[in-house]
Amino acid sequence: MKILLIGNGAREHAIACALHRSPQKPELYAFMTAKNPGIAKLCKNFKIGDTCDAKAVSGYAVNNNIDFAVVGPEAPLAAGVSDELESNGIGCVGPKKSAARIETDKAFARNLMKKYNIPGTPEFGVFTGASGAVEFIKNSGKEWAVKPAGLTGGKGVKIMGEHLKNPDETENYIKEVLNSDRVVIEEKLTGEEFTIQAFVDGKTVLGTPMVQDHKRAYEGDVGPNTGGMGSYSDKGYILPFLTQDDYDIGIKIMEQAVSAIKEETGVEYKGFLYGQFIAGKDIMVIEFNARFGDPEAMNTISIITSDFVEICKKIINGNLNEIENLEFKNKATVCKYLVPEGYPENPKANRELAVDENKINELGALIYYAAVNEEEGKIYTSSSRAAGVVGIADTITEAEKIAESAAGCVKGDVFHRKDIGTDALVRKRFENMKKFRGEN
Ligand code: AMP
Ligand code: GLY
């Protein structure tokens, strides 16, 4: 069996490993924008090109007699790569362009949630002109989150009272967004964030363990938003400061979103679905993504023991309901991202990265390469996140220590957040939850 993977980040490296360890022993192919050394090593063949060039991707798939494709990132989904592959008879794990709008168009996502009465929808407004948006905010007397409607790699959201310190800054940001997009103004939500990633075949939603990402660049959850600096999961499915009920509510919301997408667009959602929630008094939806999370994929995909190739086939064939239970190692995981110094605002790019993979193996840790490029056996950073290291152990505390040691095996002009997964940070989450749920 021949499988084509599209994308070259750490999430895709984790997906490549999961496909590679399938007992079905598939031949892997990859279409990447830069040579990810980890993915390249697992592939029979790969091509470097524009992953958003749907014709080029599907041409490569057809020429190599690919059985099915797996799309990792959102940009190729937005560019219609799944549509093009399917029109050439190649099944695809990754929704078609119209269904992917659940991520690629935040206005579509919020309007869909409202129209289909999906729980967890915050108050919001979508605007094409600054005066309407500014009026809306002024009349409310409240603080809001300001978002571009389109894709921004997780870096476009600014929150009043945090990133936007006064009405002038808010207005200026609204205008900046409106230069190229519509602006979504939405209720400022408070609580602890969590992610549920799921496999979806159009009807069935099979969830994986909860993960918590850390969007802020610096320790103590301060600084600009990033694509995600690191993440952890606990043994089983539930984060230590959340409950099974929280998980079940999240899954229910995702099921409702999948059926609303079908109803609204006429297209079945097939692929990975990411629900980002915030747990306060209620469970509210921050956003949906039409893919696995990055870094969160590194947590869950690293410990999945169910056959990943079989899951992908069932997503495409619409018979995921035949899988009663996904299986995972009963372990906690901590992922830390090494990112270029200066990231996300002024990243130092094109610096050599020295990685002691043997030492990382000895530690029992994993490394997944992200936005790096391999040239003549050397690895160079780009302006985005460079590599994720993952520790796996019985507790978050132990997994954190392993991840931290593994981070020390990567040398270069990079930094990472040392606090992710530490006891002190997880304790803070417990205290926050008590406060948000009024248990104090
Ligand atoms: P997104 O790109 O939608 O994932 O948003 C990035 C980050 O902004 C999220 O992880 C949240 O921390 C924050 N955020 C997004 N929407 C809201 C909201 N409505 N209220 C408060 N924080 C938000
Ligand atoms: N970790 C956030 C995301 O993948 O969008």
Side-chain angles (χ1 to χ4, degrees):
M1 190 189 335
K2 296 180 172 193
I3 304 176
L4 172 63
L5 175 64
I6 295 139
N8 48 280
R11 168 187 46 219
E12 289 74 36
H13 188 181
I15 293 172
C17 291
L19 291 168
H20 184 74
R21 64 178 183 260
S22 162
Q24 302 189 43
K25 303 213 171 314
E27 263 180 15
L28 283 189
Y29 291 71
F31 200 105
M32 313 193 260
T33 52
K35 185 180 173 190
N36 178 315
I39 299 175
K41 222 185 269 179
L42 299 173
C43 283
K44 176 154 197 288
N45 185 264
F46 64 87
K47 184 169 172 70
I48 306 295
D50 177 2
T51 50
C52 292
D53 182 342
K55 293 245 183 296
V57 173
S58 84
Y60 179 72
V62 169
N63 287 341
N64 287 288
N65 292 314
I66 294 297
D67 291 293
F68 71 85
V70 179
V71 183
E74 62 278 18
L77 299 171
V81 165
S82 303
D83 306 59
E84 185 66 26
L85 284 162
E86 283 192 18
S87 69
N88 283 287
I90 296 167
C92 192
V93 178
K96 289 189 179 160
K97 192 173 172 173
S98 56
R101 286 175 73 203
I102 193 74
E103 168 170 7
T104 60
D105 182 348
K106 290 188 203 291
F108 170 82
R110 287 312 192 192
N111 283 322
L112 185 86
M113 291 186 72
K114 188 169 168 193
K115 177 168 172 190
Y116 292 86
N117 285 320
I118 299 178
T121 311
E123 248 186 275
F124 71 96
V126 180
F127 299 92
T128 48
S131 55
V134 170
E135 257 328 83
F136 177 82
I137 290 176
K138 213 190 262 169
N139 292 340
S140 75
K142 291 196 291 192
E143 291 188 322
W144 298 80
V146 180
K147 308 181 168 191
L151 293 176
T152 58
K155 291 163 226 159
V157 175
K158 296 207 187 219
I159 313 288
M160 288 172 65
E162 292 176 45
H163 313 97
L164 304 169
K165 306 252 186 281
N166 55 51
D168 280 350
E169 278 187 28
T170 305
E171 185 167 346
N172 287 341
Y173 187 57
I174 289 170
K175 285 183 179 152
E176 187 188 321
V177 170
L178 286 169
N179 279 335
S180 54
D181 204 344
R182 291 151 299 152
V183 69
V184 181
I185 307 285
E186 66 184 40
E187 189 182 335
K188 178 175 166 178
L189 303 167
T190 51
E192 277 300 325
E193 291 180 34
F194 66 96
T195 300
I196 301 177
Q197 301 165 98
F199 302 106
V200 182
D201 69 349
K203 301 169 280 292
T204 301
V205 174
L206 271 185
T208 67
M210 277 178 172
V211 185
Q212 187 175 50
D213 183 20
H214 298 72
K215 301 287 284 186
R216 301 303 195 91
Y218 313 129
E219 281 159 25
D221 291 320
V222 294
N225 272 335
T226 67
M229 293 296 291
S231 46
Y232 54 75
S233 63
D234 203 357
K235 260 187 174 176
Y237 272 62
I238 312 299
L239 284 164
F241 44 88
L242 295 169
T243 66
Q244 181 71 44
D245 265 1
D246 297 329
Y247 185 83
D248 294 343
I249 292 169
I251 290 286
K252 189 94 212 303
I253 288 173
M254 291 167 81
E255 286 169 349
Q256 286 174 273
V258 166
S259 96
I261 292 168
K262 170 78 201 300
E263 186 79 18
E264 187 68 16
T265 66
V267 172
E268 280 199 329
Y269 187 102
K270 283 173 183 278
F272 310 128
L273 179 63
Y274 169 112
Q276 190 187 2
F277 303 95
I278 188 160
K281 275 218 174 335
D282 299 306
I283 303 293
M284 303 295 286
V285 177
I286 295 269
E287 67 167 354
F288 294 107
N289 290 325
R291 50 173 174 82
F292 260 91
D294 192 352
E296 295 99 317
M298 290 186 267
N299 299 88
T300 48
I301 295 179
S302 296
I303 57 167
I304 193 162
T305 50
S306 296
D307 179 353
F308 205 83
V309 170
E310 199 53 34
I311 297 170
C312 290
K313 284 187 187 166
K314 289 193 180 330
I315 289 173
I316 292 165
N317 295 330
N319 55 349
L320 257 189
N321 62 335
E322 290 171 9
I323 300 180
E324 268 177 40
N325 277 309
L326 290 172
E327 282 165 17
F328 296 88
K329 287 183 191 162
N330 191 24
K331 297 280 185 193
T333 66
V334 173
C335 173
K336 301 203 184 205
Y337 243 125
L338 295 130
V339 303
E341 276 172 19
Y343 174 82
E345 279 153 353
N346 296 298
K348 289 185 186 166
N350 295 317
R351 307 297 167 100
E352 195 182 335
L353 204 63
V355 181
D356 190 342
E357 287 192 18
N358 291 334
K359 183 87 185 297
I360 291 172
N361 282 337
E362 278 168 26
L363 290 165
L366 303 169
I367 179 158
Y368 296 114
Y369 291 100
V372 293
N373 195 24
E374 188 188 39
E375 275 171 40
E376 295 172 2
K378 291 192 171 165
I379 299 170
Y380 296 93
T381 59
S382 69
S383 58
S384 203
R385 297 172 295 176
V389 289
V390 182
I392 301 171
D394 285 332
T395 62
I396 295 175
T397 310
E398 289 170 72
E400 191 277 331
K401 292 199 169 85
I402 298 170
E404 194 55 41
S405 303
C409 303
V410 182
K411 304 272 193 257
D413 290 340
V414 288
F415 75 97
H416 69 281
R417 272 184 61 172
K418 294 195 168 58
D419 61 340
I420 293 170
T422 56
D423 286 349
L425 184 139
V426 177
R427 237 189 341 263
K428 220 165 82 188
R429 307 293 186 224
F430 268 106
E431 284 157 18
N432 278 345
M433 268 331 287
K434 275 198 193 150
K435 195 173 71 202
F436 292 129
R437 293 212 154 133
E439 289 162 21
N440 264 350

